[in-house]
């Protein structure tokens, strides 16, 4: 009789509480791969809302992550930034380093189509940024800023930093302003040709503002920074929290706009020609820049992750991105 193979996974089991649990691996069928995880990334945005039980019931279905186990609010195995090496499966993937939208787990089996091989020049330890890189790239496609556009990134967590870094490569030196309430992102972006504003925006003529602070005050500041017919690209997901805004004043006279950018759909300007997989491949390619290593400001072993969750996902947690080590 064949013994069922087990893996160790992280589950969110109560508000702010996580635990490691053993889970059975499914049979390795034809066209599947078995991946030994090397690294995963911890999301301080969506994963924080999941960890503290702030997913609205109406969004339970839409918020399901690929390969999620359990149901919201708890217990639930959640996450979407795993990097590992293929140890079983189709011959052309054996031994390849791959990215997968998979929760934190030391080993997993999925359809081969669910993993994306890392391109040459992207080390596995940096590839944990891929899920956020995909969101960042999609938001730039949504905004489609013209060359020379006045652009502000308001909120320089991991997502904001990636947007700023990618924009600086696509639109040239000095064309992107970035601001955050703390100075740490300014240090992380020091090697990129962006302007870090430590005191917040001082202009009100931006064509595009990318907002990712997950705060009502930040969104209001983004609106107030727009020029005539400017647009906020809203990347924060507020979960079950109400967001009060002042939409009087110049909002209508300046013909301002707020647009949601969400990674579940390829941005409309690219949707007819770009698949989800092609978008992920493009995002992985953007991670060939070694300067992006500065965005990873913390690392810990997978065995220590459950106990560290309250600290790592606290609203005032320092740093930008946390990488989880499995070996």
């Amino acid at each position: 009789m064949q013994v069922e193979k087990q893996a160790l996974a992280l589950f969110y089991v109560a508000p702010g509480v996580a635990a490691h649990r053993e889970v059975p691996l499914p049979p390795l069928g034809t066209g599947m791969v078995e991946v030994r995880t090397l690294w995963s990334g911890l999301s301080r945005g969506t994963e924080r809302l999941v960890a503290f039980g702030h997913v609205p019931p109406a969004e339970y279905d839409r918020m399901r992550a690929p390969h999620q186990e359990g149901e919201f609010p708890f217990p639930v195995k959640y996450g979407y930034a795993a990097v590992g090496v293929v140890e079983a499966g189709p011959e052309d993937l054996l031994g390849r380093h791959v990215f997968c939208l998979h929760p934190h787990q030391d080993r997993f089996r999925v359809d081969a189509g669910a993993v994306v091989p890392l391109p040459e020049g992207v080390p596995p330890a940096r590839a944990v940024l891929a899920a956020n890189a995909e969101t960042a790239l999609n938001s730039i496609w949504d905004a489609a800023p013209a060359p020379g556009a006045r652009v502000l990134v308001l909120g320089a967590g991991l997502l904001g930093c990636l947007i700023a870094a990618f924009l600086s490569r696509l639109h040239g030196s000095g064309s992107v302003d970035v601001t955050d309430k703390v100075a740490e992102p300014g240090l992380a972006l020091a090697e990129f040709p962006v302007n870090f504003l430590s005191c917040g925006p001082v202009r009100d003529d931006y064509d595009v503002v990318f907002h990712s602070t997950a705060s009502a005050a930040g969104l209001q500041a983004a609106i107030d920074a727009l020029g005539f017919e400017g647009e906020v690209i809203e990347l924060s997901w507020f979960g079950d929290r109400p967001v009060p805004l002042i939409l009087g004043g110049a909002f209508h006279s300046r013909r301002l706009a707020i647009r949601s950018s969400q990674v579940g759909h390829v941005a409309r300007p690219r949707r007819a020609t770009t698949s989800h997989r092609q978008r992920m491949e493009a995002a992985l390619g953007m991670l060939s820049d070694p300067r992006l290593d500065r965005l990873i400001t913390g690392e810990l072993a997978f065995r220590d992750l459950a106990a560290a969750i309250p600290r790592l996902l606290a609203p005032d947690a320092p740093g930008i991105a946390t990488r989880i080590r499995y070996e």
Side-chain angles (χ1 to χ4, degrees):
M1 182 177 178
Q2 188 175 2
V3 177
E4 192 174 58
K5 199 168 186 178
Q6 301 283 315
L8 193 65
L10 183 86
F11 279 77
Y12 295 107
V13 296
V17 181
H20 289 98
R21 291 184 174 180
E22 284 197 339
V23 294
L25 292 177
L28 187 66
T30 302
M32 295 182 68
V33 291
E34 180 172 324
V35 177
R36 174 170 54 85
T37 311
L38 300 175
W39 307 93
S40 65
L42 185 70
S43 165
R44 295 191 180 186
T46 304
E47 205 162 344
R48 174 182 286 147
L49 294 174
V50 171
F52 287 91
H54 293 310
V55 178
E59 296 298 311
Y60 281 180
D61 287 341
R62 281 187 287 265
M63 276 297 299
R64 286 193 67 86
H67 316 296
Q68 173 181 319
E69 288 185 26
E71 304 295 334
F72 297 120
F74 304 107
V76 62
K77 183 180 78 174
Y78 200 87
Y80 43 78
V83 180
V85 60
V86 175
E87 294 194 330
E91 186 175 350
D92 62 331
L93 288 173
L94 285 177
R96 297 285 302 273
H97 290 114
V98 296
F99 176 84
C100 185
L101 295 165
H102 198 282
H104 309 284
Q105 187 168 309
D106 63 358
R107 183 177 293 272
F108 56 88
R109 291 174 176 174
V110 294
D111 289 337
V115 302
V116 181
L118 304 191
E120 186 177 349
V122 178
R126 190 187 307 145
V128 298
L129 301 177
N132 293 93
E134 185 181 29
T135 303
L137 185 60
N138 203 55
S139 73
I140 294 171
W141 289 352
D142 266 323
R150 298 176 294 271
V151 178
L152 172 69
V153 178
L154 202 162
L158 177 57
L159 184 54
C161 284
L162 286 168
I163 292 170
F166 293 170
L167 281 170
S168 73
R169 290 170 57 183
L170 297 170
H171 290 273
S173 175
S175 63
V176 181
D177 291 345
V178 186
T179 189
D180 195 90
K181 64 182 179 180
V182 297
E184 189 168 11
L187 301 175
L189 290 168
E191 296 182 42
F192 289 93
V194 302
N195 308 308
F196 188 79
L197 311 175
S198 59
C199 297
V202 294
R203 299 166 53 171
D204 61 356
D205 64 348
Y206 289 101
D207 299 302
V208 179
V209 178
F210 293 87
H211 175 249
S212 61
T213 73
S215 71
L219 180 53
Q220 188 66 59
I223 294 169
D224 295 342
L226 291 172
F228 182 70
E229 293 191 336
E231 183 174 57
V232 171
I233 302 298
E234 177 56 77
L235 291 132
S236 301
W237 193 65
F238 291 88
D240 57 3
R241 292 176 293 150
V243 183
L245 294 175
I246 300 171
L247 297 182
F251 185 79
H252 288 283
S253 63
R254 289 191 179 184
R255 294 174 54 84
L256 306 182
I258 306 171
R259 187 195 307 189
S260 167
S261 182
Q262 198 271 344
V263 77
H265 297 279
V266 175
R268 182 176 294 176
R270 301 292 185 101
R271 195 174 301 159
T273 58
T274 306
S275 67
H276 283 82
R277 185 177 183 87
Q278 288 170 325
R279 184 181 62 184
M280 176 57 77
E281 290 171 344
L284 280 166
M286 296 292 286
L287 297 180
S288 61
D289 191 333
R291 295 176 295 178
L292 295 172
D293 287 334
R294 297 190 67 171
L295 303 184
I296 300 172
T297 53
E299 181 180 308
L300 80 162
F302 177 55
R303 64 177 178 273
D304 299 324
L305 180 57
I309 284 296
R311 169 177 58 85
L312 295 174
L313 296 183
D316 57 350
I320 299 174
T322 300
R323 182 170 58 201
I324 313 304
R325 182 181 67 254
Y326 287 75
E327 293 185 339

